[in-house]
Amino acid sequence: MSGLKSFGRFLAVPVLATALWTAPAAAQKSSVGGLYNITIAGLTIGRGSLALVLQGNAYSAKVGLEPAGIGTLFSTGKGGAQASGWLLGNKVVPSKYEMASHAANRDFYVALGQGSGHIRSMEVMPQFKPNKERIKVTRKHRNNAMDPLSAALMPVPTRDNMIGPEACKRKLPIFDGWTRFDIKMTYKGTKNVSGHGYNGPVVVCKAKWIPVAGHRPSKESVKYMAKAGMETWLAPLGGNVLIPYRISIDTKTGRLVVQASQLNIKSGAGDQAAR
């Protein structure tokens, strides 16, 4: 299924990783494990898993993705990613990122070295074929950017009014090894949700994909993604951190939804929670 392949390459990793991130302020060490479902037009096409450990202000995360349901009929693709770095106040400062996947009989691999909020080194396979129309990725595009998995961590300045307009005021500058793009978020409203791994309030944000470099402006997929309706529901899951509980994207074949089905949280104080 081509939709699952495309989703897996540039979107699944950040989406799935963010579904399960938390940072309890009082705990010296915390760990999170979770499962979540990916559906399109109400039909299951994939499942993911994530494991994350927060030690002090350092984080490390791993995420996996594989087809499920009708997705197994159209794709043998699967993959995973891992990232590490630090949380400094309300900023995420990544260090390393690695992604490997296999889809449509091809292998994809990315390794990024990061520092001071910039992409310092990169190894990518395969490379894009030369094309005069493609907007070239330069050093300035790799500055003030981060990998997709680290971009999933969303700390806020304070715990006050976490479920409100301020939570959605962010633009995520992402470099996935091939392309540089932004995800701009704006406030839409609030909801109360239950089940599917979380019970409580969420803030609903509209999201917009903005291509910056590495893409071909005339491609229909680029034009469609730039106009596609996107939405994310952010939930407070410890400390001053908000995470996407649900992300939805309108596609030509129906609405694509990623939603946590189970969250298991362990804090350094020995507390356990299954939300």
Side-chain angles (χ1 to χ4, degrees):
M1 179 178 288
S2 60
L4 181 60
K5 174 187 171 185
S6 299
F7 177 77
R9 199 195 64 156
F10 71 88
L11 185 61
V13 169
V15 167
L16 296 180
T18 55
L20 296 170
W21 196 83
T22 184
Q28 294 183 346
K29 181 177 181 179
S30 301
S31 64
V32 181
L35 302 172
Y36 38 99
N37 297 325
I38 307 168
T39 62
I40 189 165
L43 300 173
T44 298
I45 62 169
R47 290 195 178 95
S49 62
L50 181 137
L52 181 140
V53 174
L54 179 71
Q55 180 74 55
N57 67 339
Y59 69 87
S60 62
K62 293 183 180 181
V63 64
L65 172 69
E66 62 181 21
I70 65 168
T72 60
L73 302 177
F74 301 95
S75 173
T76 57
K78 60 182 180 179
Q82 56 186 350
S84 59
W86 293 268
L87 295 175
L88 302 179
N90 65 329
K91 293 184 178 181
V92 180
V93 183
S95 175
K96 296 179 180 179
Y97 170 77
E98 186 174 20
M99 185 280 293
S101 66
H102 181 83
N105 296 319
R106 300 189 69 182
D107 292 317
F108 298 88
Y109 177 78
V110 176
L112 302 178
Q114 301 168 88
S116 301
H118 310 306
I119 308 295
R120 300 295 191 186
S121 63
M122 54 183 283
E123 181 181 353
V124 180
M125 182 185 75
Q127 297 284 346
F128 278 143
K129 293 180 179 179
N131 188 291
K132 293 182 179 179
E133 186 198 6
R134 191 181 307 282
I135 298 177
K136 184 178 180 180
V137 177
T138 65
R139 177 176 293 182
K140 74 173 184 178
H141 296 128
R142 296 191 295 269
N143 287 341
N144 299 310
M146 65 178 75
D147 66 85
L149 185 47
S150 295
L153 312 184
M154 298 188 188
V156 293
T158 68
R159 301 185 190 185
D160 298 333
N161 196 28
M162 293 183 68
I163 304 298
E166 289 297 320
C168 299
K169 281 188 177 180
R170 63 181 76 236
K171 183 168 69 172
L172 306 175
I174 302 172
F175 179 67
D176 64 5
W178 291 278
T179 59
R180 167 72 170 78
F181 58 93
D182 292 338
I183 300 294
K184 184 178 181 180
M185 299 166 58
T186 55
Y187 179 74
K188 182 178 180 180
T190 60
K191 289 179 177 288
N192 281 298
V193 299
S194 61
H196 303 290
Y198 172 77
N199 299 316
V202 296
V203 57
V204 180
C205 309
K206 292 182 179 179
K208 181 178 178 61
W209 181 80
I210 304 172
V212 176
H215 64 284
R216 292 161 53 189
S218 68
K219 287 195 69 174
E220 288 302 316
S221 58
V222 172
K223 294 179 181 179
Y224 184 87
M225 282 294 296
K227 296 179 180 179
M230 302 182 186
E231 190 174 278
T232 180
W233 301 2
L234 302 179
L237 291 185
N240 63 330
V241 176
L242 287 163
I243 64 168
Y245 162 78
R246 169 189 164 107
I247 291 180
S248 63
I249 302 172
D250 292 332
T251 75
K252 293 181 179 180
T253 54
R255 177 162 291 185
L256 179 69
V257 176
V258 177
Q259 185 163 306
S261 60
Q262 181 179 336
L263 299 179
N264 296 307
I265 304 167
K266 293 184 179 180
S267 72
D271 297 331
Q272 296 189 26
R275 306 190 181 194

